[in-house]
Amino acid sequence: MQYNLYFCTSDYWKMTVDIANSAALLGRMAAASHKVATVAHTHPDGDAAGSSIGMACWLESLGKEVRCIFPDPTPSTIDFVYKGERKEKTLFFSKEPETVKTWLQDCDLIVVLDMNDIKRSEGLSDILKAHPAPKVLVDHHLEPSRDQFALTVSETEISSASELVYWLLKELCGNGVGKISLECASALMTGMTTDTNNFANSTWPSTLEMASQLLAMGVDRDFIVEHINWHYGENRLRALGMLLGTRMAVTPEGVAYMVLYKEDTDHYGLEDGDTEGFVNMPLAIAKVRMSILLKEDKGYFRISIRSKKGTSAATCATKYFHGGGHENASGGKLFFPQDIPAPADAPQYVQYMIKDYFGNES
């Protein structure tokens, strides 16, 4: 049987029928399972890690055997969420593919978090699609691929997957099904904090209520914020200075864009996560309504797009970069030689995109 559930969070404190039903269905599926895997998207961020660990903690409180599986490693800046045994219970497919495959063989439930389509797990995609276990999706992105899941819990007007997990678990625990431990609460606070850029965007009334409740549970938010924002290396600031000083272009249309090439990441020794937040910086300029960061990877650029209200990052990402996301925070990819002949042609493509996109504004 397949379920697709939706709910509005604006009255979340009243616990709408849909959140209650979705939590009940998740509880039944968890009760019938023994060995569970949580899976999140490639290049996992704080929300992917936070929602995964939060869900894993709750499942373990029911006596389930759980592993958090990611396609590749999380950034070092969020390593603090892997406390004690959690690190040993976290698997990265790019580092230990055979261990992941062996673990997944006997899983009887897979919980997919913070991605709207299994294909976003990239190297894990085919394995997950072929797996016979029922799959649950808990996500906050647009257009979830509902046919891939036995249960879909999807809400876009919410800060993060971590927040969505919190309201589900709060409903379940309120009915005596499992518990929210301090580790669980801290992971969910971490995920929500990173996805809202510390309450700078995608913040709803429910988000602030969640934060208040987690603080009351004993979560050390100061510790979390410190580790997210103040534990980078000097190389991050050097690279940011270079980008803002010599690579940032601001167009008459009010678009700022920056290109970070492979030789740049090598020169500055940048790891995944070191460029987190770079794309937000140009939005501090009053006339800039959209900011685009292109970061070269193997055979493509990873695209991050942020915009101010009234300008759609999601439409831009979908139309020009094989991507999508939220209205003011989206991403995608630009492939070479499929989309552009070579990496050096990226600025020219962005200039074309800007003229085409904003030239067609109504």
Side-chain angles (χ1 to χ4, degrees), residues 57-330:
C57 289
W58 173 75
L59 288 163
E60 288 171 351
S61 76
L62 300 177
K64 310 304 175 181
E65 191 177 3
V66 190
R67 293 292 182 272
C68 294
I69 298 175
F70 299 99
D72 36 30
T74 51
S76 59
T77 51
I78 58 172
D79 280 352
F80 67 92
V81 297
Y82 302 106
K83 298 176 182 176
E85 295 181 356
R86 186 62 52 201
K87 192 167 187 178
E88 298 173 9
K89 294 179 179 179
T90 301
L91 304 175
F92 302 108
F93 183 67
S94 62
K95 285 189 170 183
E96 43 197 341
E98 295 309 314
T99 302
V100 170
K101 289 176 184 177
T102 300
W103 173 264
L104 284 171
Q105 280 179 357
D106 301 325
C107 279
D108 48 16
L109 180 65
I110 297 174
V111 183
V112 176
L113 300 135
D114 198 33
M115 58 178 175
N116 61 356
D117 194 308
I118 286 175
K119 69 182 181 183
R120 290 203 62 213
S121 64
E122 294 195 352
L124 271 170
S125 178
D126 290 341
I127 298 171
L128 294 175
K129 286 180 179 178
H131 203 289
K135 302 173 188 71
V136 175
L137 175 69
V138 182
D139 183 53
H140 67 128
H141 295 93
L142 296 169
E143 300 178 355
S145 298
R146 304 177 187 94
D147 59 340
Q148 299 175 348
F149 304 97
L151 170 61
T152 297
V153 185
S154 173
E155 174 56 62
T156 58
E157 296 188 351
I158 200 166
S159 70
S160 55
S162 293
E163 184 185 338
L164 188 48
V165 168
Y166 175 69
W167 296 119
L168 288 170
L169 300 191
K170 182 176 168 63
E171 174 71 11
L172 284 158
C173 297
N175 290 319
V177 183
K179 67 177 183 178
I180 298 177
S181 65
L182 184 58
E183 180 189 6
C184 174
S186 297
L188 296 178
M189 178 74 92
T190 299
M192 178 273 290
T193 302
T194 57
D195 244 32
T196 62
N197 190 23
N198 199 20
F199 301 107
N201 52 261
S202 302
T203 300
W204 301 80
S206 59
T207 312
L208 298 174
E209 184 67 15
M210 169 197 179
S212 177
Q213 293 182 12
L214 292 178
L215 286 172
M217 290 181 195
V219 171
D220 188 345
R221 203 180 91 83
D222 291 341
F223 173 87
I224 291 170
V225 171
E226 176 186 338
H227 278 74
I228 291 172
N229 296 323
W230 303 337
H231 277 243
Y232 290 102
E234 179 183 340
N235 58 337
R236 168 182 161 86
L237 289 183
R238 299 286 183 190
L240 177 59
M242 178 275 295
L243 278 175
L244 295 176
T246 65
R247 295 284 179 79
M248 183 178 69
V250 181
T251 74
E253 294 84 358
V255 180
Y257 67 90
M258 301 178 288
V259 183
L260 189 67
Y261 295 101
K262 180 68 165 57
E263 54 263 34
D264 299 321
T265 58
D266 290 344
H267 174 75
Y268 289 100
L270 298 174
E271 299 177 354
D272 265 352
D274 283 340
T275 57
E276 187 71 29
F278 281 11
V279 69
N280 297 311
M281 298 297 181
L283 292 176
I285 302 171
K287 68 179 180 180
V288 170
R289 52 176 167 162
M290 176 180 285
S291 174
I292 305 173
L293 174 67
L294 298 86
K295 181 180 178 182
E296 186 181 350
D297 209 321
K298 296 177 181 177
Y300 63 92
F301 281 96
R302 290 160 56 183
I303 312 297
S304 297
I305 308 173
R306 300 293 183 269
S307 64
K308 294 174 182 175
K309 285 187 177 181
T311 302
S312 177
T315 301
C316 180
T318 301
K319 186 173 181 180
Y320 300 100
F321 297 111
H322 310 284
H326 303 292
E327 185 66 7
N328 300 115
S330 295

Side-chain angles (χ1 to χ4, degrees), residues 23-44:
L25 289 166
L26 174 60
R28 274 183 240 154
M29 295 176 75
S33 69
H34 300 282
K35 189 174 180 181
V36 188
T38 71
V39 183
H41 56 80
T42 188
H43 304 301

